[in-house]
Amino acid sequence: MSIRSQFTLFSNQELNTPTPFIYLDNAATTQKPQSVIDVITHFYQHQNANVHRGSYNTANQVTARYEQARVNLANFIGAKSDTNIVWTKGTTESINLVAYAWGETHISDGDTIVVLGSEHHANFVPWQQLALRKGANFEVVNVLENGDLDLAHYQNLMDKKPKLVAVQHCSNALGNIHPIKQLTELAKQVGATVLVDGAQAVAHIKVDVQDIGCDFYTFSGHKMYGPTGIGVLYIAEDIKHEVNPFHFGGEMIQSVTIEKTSFRPIPALLETGTPNISGVLGFDAAVKFMQNEQTQHELASTSDLYNYLISQLSQIDKVRLLGSTENNIGVISFVVDGESVADIGALLNEQNIAVRCGHHCAMPLMQALKVNGTVRVSLAIYNDKSDVDGFINALRKSLDILCC
Amino acid sequence: MPTNPKIIIELGEQFELNEVAVIELFSPLKNWEEKFRQLMLLGKKLPILPIDHQLDEYLVSGCESKVWLVHQWHNQTLSLAATSDAKIVKGLIAVVLAAFNNKTKTQIIEFNLDNYFAQLNLLNQLSPSRANGVHAIINEIKSFVDNVH
């Protein structure tokens, strides 16, 4: 069974009318393989019960599967233990959670927070706002012309002995992979706490959180073939004691009296309320999908498709590619001189091509690159040469219409 | 109010296209490609709005792309001039201006927009945000009419 045929959405007749649906917006969200959909459906049809509370078989079985998913996820990213894994709604919630559960008590007046200039707003605004609340310095690493971070500037900023360094593993708008281990080491040398936004990384590169050496690592299920509304916050063992509860309620509790409450340790401490059980089980299926041999094999060949895409795009007049295409997860952003990206997006849409047009929630990066927005094409393992060819033809036609 | 009423009146006069002509242009067109090509051509017919009239205060809110719209009442008719940073939007502006530019208050109020767009068979060609943008431009023009004494 080919990888693509596991994604039944692509065989939807309606979607492929009048021309084939070409999905190249994978950095926004990926499609879901049948194995993920089946697990979610099966849960609701055959096993629905709440976790951690049941005195009956079904609840206990669901709890066991739910907790096994945590173990599997820990193994997937090389965490020391499943107790380092906190389920969240996704990357955005994870980062905001750290900003409150850790940031409120560990960032104060005069402290420094460092982020990259190419961050997604989700790893930029929470820290900017925390800095504003606390009177801390908010420092942004310069972006080089090719979209990479200015490493010399990053090193200079380390001299300010930042309390927190929050960096993306890969740029969502450009796809370039940052030297995350090196960045973490440099930050650790000056005593900073390090958070890595791995939202774009996990579907493309093998992540080992202990090897990276970061304190927090976060990503979402839906960008790696899993469901929406589920994500992970990895919390390293050494930093756990610095994290306070943020939301209060059931599940997280050891004991409650009228006077006081004592809490259970992480992960329960941060997982109050009934969790997204079907999401966790679907996420677990996505992890299995990522780990299977066929997926790994396909993943290895996406760089060939990416190179083909770049070579085809480069041949089109007036197309200006942005960002480094070396060491990239399979994303290309481009502009066409004299044309608005909204126009290009509208005409591609007419031809049933799904790409993202705009600022990609990375306005500071757009400012650094001196563009209002880009057209972003992002690949996933089910994309093939016919997708790229279809897109290139459609782009040529769009530009022909716009320039007539 | 616009910085130079005279310029706007001139721009309004330069744009001679009306709704009958637009319907004639679009009615034989069958596919999306022909319609978009026609929009490109119409966009080019918009008189150039001087850069000093492309001020933030003339931006139409609710449009995905930037749209500057200025107006001036002159001999009981409404002179309109507008532009956008996106070509498709410029074409759509031309379609809208053809219906409202150089028209009296009564003509504007009585104009059957639904019928017009139905005959053009254009709005279903647009994404919801584009269609909203067109409505935002139309609402802005209607506010000019509501506010005239």
Side-chain angles (χ1 to χ4, degrees):
Chain A
M1 199 180 188
S2 75
I3 282 275
R4 196 177 172 89
S5 65
Q6 295 175 41
F7 292 81
T8 48
L9 177 130
F10 292 119
S11 51
N12 180 329
Q13 206 57 38
E14 204 181 322
L15 214 53
N16 288 295
T17 310
T19 52
F21 178 58
I22 296 181
Y23 188 76
L24 296 168
D25 193 20
N26 296 289
T29 195
T30 55
Q31 301 304 333
K32 320 305 171 197
Q34 197 57 42
S35 59
V36 168
I37 297 168
D38 286 346
V39 161
I40 295 167
T41 311
H42 183 268
F43 167 70
Y44 282 120
Q45 283 181 341
H46 300 287
Q47 214 179 17
N48 181 45
N50 211 332
V51 289
H52 297 148
R53 298 157 169 87
S55 54
Y56 48 95
N57 284 343
T58 309
N60 292 335
Q61 283 160 10
V62 173
T63 304
R65 286 182 66 198
Y66 177 87
E67 287 305 329
Q68 185 58 45
R70 201 190 297 273
V71 174
N72 297 344
L73 201 290
N75 292 335
F76 178 60
I77 59 168
K80 198 172 166 196
S81 140
D82 58 317
T83 66
N84 301 116
I85 303 299
V86 174
W87 302 121
T88 65
K89 281 195 297 194
T91 309
T92 300
E93 189 189 43
S94 299
I95 295 169
N96 279 279
L97 180 62
V98 175
Y100 282 97
W102 178 87
E104 276 299 313
T105 45
H106 287 82
I107 296 292
S108 48
D109 196 10
D111 285 345
T112 296
I113 299 173
V114 172
V115 302
L116 303 186
S118 53
E119 299 295 339
H120 187 287
H121 294 163
N123 197 31
F124 191 96
V125 183
W127 307 122
Q128 177 196 53
Q129 295 300 308
L130 176 64
L132 288 171
R133 285 201 301 277
K134 298 293 180 179
N137 307 311
F138 181 63
E139 298 286 354
V140 181
V141 181
N142 292 338
V143 178
L144 298 175
E145 220 163 275
N146 71 356
D148 285 343
L149 82 152
D150 181 344
L151 194 58
H153 186 221
Y154 181 87
Q155 283 171 314
N156 287 343
L157 287 175
M158 291 304 110
D159 292 342
K160 299 192 175 208
K161 302 223 176 324
K163 260 293 191 50
L164 173 75
V165 174
V167 288
Q168 56 184 189
H169 196 157
C170 311
S171 158
N172 69 302
L174 303 175
N176 49 330
I177 304 167
H178 298 300
I180 203 66
K181 194 175 171 182
Q182 185 189 7
L183 297 183
T184 304
E185 271 170 14
L186 290 168
K188 282 282 161 194
Q189 278 166 19
V190 296
T193 294
V194 178
L195 175 140
V196 179
D197 166 2
Q200 295 295 338
V202 280
H204 300 277
I205 48 185
K206 178 83 192 116
V207 170
D208 185 327
V209 287
Q210 290 193 83
D211 182 52
I212 293 169
C214 55
D215 298 288
F216 300 103
Y217 192 98
T218 177
F219 54 100
S220 305
H222 75 96
K223 290 189 200 288
M224 52 164 276
Y225 311 104
T228 52
I230 188 72
V232 157
L233 174 63
Y234 159 80
I235 304 180
E237 208 57 43
D238 296 345
I239 199 95
K240 275 183 175 174
H241 67 282
E242 293 189 13
V243 179
N244 299 302
F246 178 53
H247 287 131
F248 298 93
E251 267 295 291
M252 67 189 298
I253 300 302
Q254 200 89 273
S255 78
V256 179
T257 65
I258 291 174
E259 292 77 24
K260 63 178 175 42
T261 297
S262 60
F263 300 103
R264 290 170 60 205
I266 290 171
L269 184 75
L270 299 172
E271 292 183 353
T272 189
T274 292
N276 181 357
I277 305 166
S278 70
V280 166
L281 300 183
F283 198 176
D284 188 39
V287 168
K288 286 196 181 76
F289 173 78
M290 282 297 299
Q291 288 171 326
N292 84 39
E293 214 172 296
Q294 192 184 15
T295 308
Q296 287 302 314
H297 179 76
E298 286 290 332
L299 210 50
S301 67
T302 42
S303 65
D304 292 340
L305 188 65
Y306 181 65
N307 292 336
Y308 178 67
L309 167 66
I310 300 300
S311 75
Q312 292 297 301
L313 262 179
S314 312
Q315 288 168 30
I316 302 178
D317 259 6
K318 294 197 282 184
V319 165
R320 189 155 59 87
L321 304 183
L322 300 167
S324 167
T325 56
E326 301 290 319
N327 202 21
N328 195 297
I329 53 169
V331 174
I332 185 69
S333 254
F334 67 90
V335 291
V336 181
D337 292 327
E339 304 302 338
S340 89
V341 296
D343 281 344
I344 296 168
L347 294 174
L348 288 174
N349 177 48
E350 285 300 329
Q351 298 166 83
N352 219 2
I353 313 275
V355 295
R356 178 93 176 261
C357 297
H359 54 65
H360 318 297
C361 300
M363 284 181 175
L365 174 64
M366 297 297 117
Q367 289 149 18
L369 297 172
K370 298 184 180 68
V371 293
N372 291 324
T374 75
V375 181
R376 182 187 68 184
V377 179
S378 49
L379 301 174
I381 47 170
Y382 38 68
N383 289 122
D384 56 22
K385 190 168 169 291
S386 73
D387 290 333
V388 172
D389 289 336
F391 159 70
I392 293 289
N393 287 337
L395 179 63
R396 284 184 187 279
K397 189 175 217 172
S398 304
L399 297 180
D400 183 52
I401 292 171
L402 288 170
C403 301
C404 71
Chain B
M1 287 301 284
T3 46
N4 192 337
K6 230 171 134 184
I7 289 181
I8 297 166
I9 294 165
E10 276 170 25
L11 293 175
E13 281 168 357
Q14 281 170 34
F15 186 71
E16 292 174 340
L17 203 72
N18 63 26
E19 73 277 13
V20 180
V22 172
I23 292 168
E24 269 176 24
L25 286 171
F26 276 92
S27 52
L29 306 183
K30 293 282 170 278
N31 62 41
W32 69 272
E33 203 180 323
E34 290 172 340
K35 286 177 191 173
F36 276 98
R37 286 189 191 276
Q38 187 55 253
L39 278 178
M40 292 299 120
L41 295 173
L42 285 186
K44 286 181 184 170
K45 291 194 169 153
L46 282 179
I48 292 164
L49 184 68
I51 199 82
D52 61 0
H53 282 63
Q54 295 181 22
L55 302 174
D56 284 357
E57 56 189 297
Y58 305 132
L59 281 172
V60 179
S61 63
C63 295
E64 193 180 25
S65 304
K66 281 186 174 172
V67 174
W68 293 269
L69 173 66
V70 296
H71 75 290
Q72 179 64 47
W73 288 97
H74 170 65
N75 292 342
Q76 311 294 318
T77 66
L78 181 65
S79 300
L80 292 166
T83 193
S84 170
D85 56 355
K87 288 180 179 174
I88 296 172
V89 178
K90 279 179 85 169
L92 292 168
I93 289 171
V95 169
V96 173
L97 292 204
F100 296 125
N101 181 45
N102 296 327
K103 297 286 169 68
T104 65
K105 184 178 173 178
T106 317
Q107 282 176 314
I108 292 172
I109 291 170
E110 289 176 354
F111 188 80
N112 190 334
L113 260 177
D114 292 341
N115 193 18
Y116 181 49
F117 278 107
Q119 286 188 69
L120 297 176
N121 196 13
L122 202 57
L123 279 190
N124 56 0
Q125 202 74 57
L126 303 174
S127 68
S129 64
R130 280 287 156 101
N132 288 339
V134 171
H135 290 304
I137 297 167
I138 291 166
N139 288 337
E140 189 83 357
I141 294 172
K142 288 191 169 169
S143 79
F144 300 153
V145 175
D146 294 339
N147 295 331
V148 71
H149 302 296

